[in-house]
Amino acid sequence: NAGVTQTPKFQVLKTGQSMTLQCAQDMNHEYMSWYRQDPGMGLRLIHYSVGAGITDQGEVPNGYNVSRSTTEDFPLRLLSAAPSQTSVYFCASSRQGSQPQHFGDGTRLSIL
Amino acid sequence: AQSVTQPDIHITVSEGASLELRCNYSYGATPYLFWYVQSPGQGLQLLLKYFSGDTLVQGIKGFEAEFKRSQSSFNLRKHSVHWSDAAEYFCAVGSARGSQGNLIFGKGTKLSVKP
C-alpha cells in the first residue's frame, strides 16, 4: 500500500498565482486533513474532512479551499498565493480524526 | 481552550544516555494522546498512543510514555538514545468527540544526539 501520497514534493510560485496540492490515500480512511508546518509553530490544521462531500475549517483556513468528492482524494487549493503561505504542507488520513493519523511526506511550497 | 505544551524547544543528549521529553496538555475530558517523530525532510511517524487502560504505553524504536492524569502530562522516555533518534518530536492530543475530533499538536521538541 502507498499510504498517503502528496504531489508535488516541491513547488515555487509567484505571488497571486493559484495552485492545487494533491493528496490521495489508499487506506479507505474517512477522515483526511491538511496541516501547515512552520518553524517553531508545530502543525496547524487548515481544513479537514470527515467523509466524501463533507469538509470543515481548521485553525488557519484563510486563503485555502478544499473539496472531497471521493474518499481517496482531498486536494488543497491556494486561491491567490501570498508569501505568508510559504510553508511545508502535510496531508494526513485516519479512520476518525482522533485516531492515529497517517501522514504524507509533505509538499514544500515557496511563494516569491 | 484545548492546548498542548512542549516546554523544551531543543534538547541535546549523549548517545547511550536516557531521554525524557515533556508534554503537558489542557483538555476538558479524557484525551487521546500521541507522540510522533519527524526526521528531517520527512512526514510524521506515529511512535505511540494512549487511549485508555495501562498508563505506561510502549511504542516503536524503544520509546515509552506515561500518562499522568493528575499532572496532565504524557512524557516520552527512552532508556538509551541512539544517534538515529535525532529528530523532532511532537506530542498531540485528540478529541473523543465522535468522528469530528481533530488532533492538536504541540510545537515540537528537537532532539540532537552527541556522539
Side-chain angles (χ1 to χ4, degrees), chain B residues 39-99:
Chain B
S39 298
Q42 302 294 315
L44 277 71
Q45 180 184 21
L46 181 69
L47 280 177
L48 48 79
K49 62 184 184 289
Y50 172 79
F51 284 175
S52 63
D54 193 347
T55 56
L56 183 63
V57 294
Q58 303 296 322
I60 62 172
K61 305 184 181 186
F63 285 93
E64 64 181 27
E66 186 171 11
F67 171 55
K68 293 185 177 180
R69 183 188 304 273
S70 61
Q71 300 177 19
S72 297
S73 69
F74 189 57
N75 294 348
L76 181 72
R77 300 194 295 249
K78 187 170 185 178
H79 296 301
S80 179
V81 171
H82 188 263
W83 63 267
S84 61
D85 293 324
E88 191 156 19
Y89 293 80
F90 293 93
C91 181
V93 60
S95 165
R97 290 189 298 124
S99 63

Side-chain angles (χ1 to χ4, degrees), chain A residues 21-39:
Chain A
L21 308 186
Q22 301 291 344
C23 176
Q25 53 93 7
D26 60 1
M27 296 171 282
N28 202 32
H29 285 163
E30 290 296 323
Y31 180 94
M32 296 186 74
S33 55
W34 277 102
Y35 297 89
R36 60 178 290 173
Q37 183 179 29
D38 303 291

Side-chain angles (χ1 to χ4, degrees), chain A residues 31 35 37 40-45 48 50 54 56-58 88 90 95-106 108, chain B residues 32 34 36 38 40-46 49 51 88 90 94-108:
Chain A
Y31 180 94
Y35 297 89
Q37 183 179 29
M41 299 295 290
L43 278 82
R44 293 182 291 171
L45 183 65
Y48 65 97
V50 299
I54 306 170
D56 206 346
Q57 297 181 352
V88 182
F90 288 99
R95 288 187 296 115
Q96 290 182 342
S98 56
Q99 300 293 318
Q101 296 190 12
H102 298 256
F103 283 82
D105 287 336
R108 284 146 187 83
Chain B
Y32 294 163
F34 308 86
Y36 286 84
Q38 183 183 31
Q42 302 294 315
L44 277 71
Q45 180 184 21
L46 181 69
K49 62 184 184 289
F51 284 175
E88 191 156 19
F90 293 93
S95 165
R97 290 189 298 124
S99 63
Q100 296 199 10
N102 299 310
L103 292 190
I104 300 170
F105 285 84
K107 295 184 178 181

Side-chain angles (χ1 to χ4, degrees), chain A residues 36-80:
Chain A
R36 60 178 290 173
Q37 183 179 29
D38 303 291
M41 299 295 290
L43 278 82
R44 293 182 291 171
L45 183 65
I46 304 172
H47 285 285
Y48 65 97
S49 169
V50 299
I54 306 170
T55 64
D56 206 346
Q57 297 181 352
E59 179 186 356
V60 288
N62 291 342
Y64 307 95
N65 261 358
V66 292
S67 59
R68 184 94 179 271
S69 56
T70 67
T71 299
E72 294 78 19
D73 301 301
F74 190 45
L76 177 72
R77 298 181 185 84
L78 278 70
L79 308 173
S80 178

